[in-house]
Amino acid sequence: LRLRAERRQHNDRMTRAMESAIQALASALELRDQYTAGHQRRVAQLAVAMAARLGLTQEQMRGLYLAGVVHDIGKIYVPSEILTRPSRLSPVEFALVKTHVEAGYEILKGIDFPWPIAEIVRQHHENLDGTGYPRGLSGKQILLEARILSAADMVEAITNHRPYRPALGLSFAFEQLRASAGTRLDPEVVQACIDVFEKDGFTFEKPTLPAS
């Protein structure tokens, strides 16, 4: 019993250390890019609320939250003048931004998480119909957590200020979600996203971390 308790305590310490490392990585990116400060945290918060509606376990939600708070960590390799430019990017510049998913995967893949965090990060710009990037995955080839993160990422981006445009509001975000259901986004995930706002009263305030 003592050995079992010590092993559990060790595992708890290791999990807390990994979570602290994840938070540090997220903070490093946010300090570099003031315009998206808080973006990763807000996306993670919404993703967890959606996951609860979709019936994911507490353990799955915890991994999803941590993937959310570092889903854009690969942007640390993208020049800051591109990330903060208040105008449309050229095709070459946008292609450079798109490399952030593979860069994020490379940063995270060597860490022995109990969740597929690196793969979730790698897949969060894949589309249900296979038109996304970096690998053109489709349907159930895309992890459910990545499908959730993709919708949460879209809503947060639309409803918050960006260097190249003002916030566009929740109604417009819902229009875009519905228009993307079945092509870019999973329809069940889209409905869960709308429901957490309309039925659960979700807001981007008071972020929470799923319980251990």
Side-chain angles (χ1 to χ4, degrees):
L1 289 174
R2 185 172 66 252
L3 288 173
R4 189 178 303 154
E6 290 174 353
R7 189 178 301 115
R8 185 164 53 247
Q9 290 174 355
H10 173 74
N11 290 338
D12 288 345
R13 284 196 300 272
M14 291 297 294
T15 299
R16 287 195 297 271
M18 285 190 293
E19 291 171 359
S20 295
I22 284 281
Q23 297 288 354
L25 285 170
S27 297
L29 178 61
E30 291 183 353
L31 285 172
R32 183 173 179 265
D33 179 8
Q34 60 176 320
Y35 289 101
T36 57
H39 164 71
Q40 295 184 118
R41 173 185 52 77
R42 290 189 295 268
V43 169
Q45 179 196 3
L46 175 55
V48 167
M50 293 161 60
R53 270 208 158 262
L54 289 164
L56 273 69
T57 67
Q58 285 291 318
E59 191 64 18
Q60 287 175 305
M61 287 191 286
R62 196 162 186 83
L64 175 58
Y65 182 91
L66 294 173
V69 296
V70 289
H71 72 274
D72 279 341
I73 189 62
K75 286 184 177 177
I76 205 162
Y77 287 108
V78 179
S80 57
E81 60 267 23
I82 291 178
L83 294 177
T84 59
R85 179 168 299 166
S87 59
R88 187 175 296 275
L89 299 179
S90 71
V92 171
E93 290 168 332
F94 184 59
L96 181 58
V97 171
K98 288 168 66 174
T99 65
H100 79 278
V101 288
E102 287 284 12
Y105 174 77
E106 291 297 325
I107 291 170
L108 298 166
K109 71 177 184 179
I111 305 174
D112 188 20
F113 294 116
W115 314 277
I117 289 177
E119 196 57 46
I120 295 169
V121 167
R122 191 186 202 183
Q123 293 182 13
H124 80 275
H125 279 294
E126 299 285 1
N127 293 340
L128 198 70
D129 62 2
T131 61
Y133 63 88
R135 291 179 292 163
L137 302 181
S138 63
K140 296 300 176 64
Q141 290 179 309
I142 307 167
L143 293 172
L144 176 56
E145 292 93 335
R147 283 179 266 149
I148 293 170
L149 202 59
S150 180
D153 195 26
M154 174 188 284
V155 171
E156 198 286 334
I158 290 172
T159 57
N160 283 276
H161 172 78
R162 288 295 181 268
Y164 47 87
R165 59 146 177 83
L168 298 175
L170 197 54
S171 294
F172 183 72
F174 287 171
E175 290 176 15
Q176 295 302 301
L177 283 174
R178 292 187 176 106
S180 300
T183 53
R184 177 177 174 183
L185 302 175
D186 183 326
E188 291 185 11
V189 169
V190 165
Q191 191 58 55
C193 187
I194 293 171
D195 285 347
V196 298
F197 285 98
E198 293 187 337
K199 296 182 180 181
D200 302 339
F202 177 87
T203 70
F204 283 112
E205 300 170 356
K206 299 179 182 178
T208 57
L209 182 66
S212 300

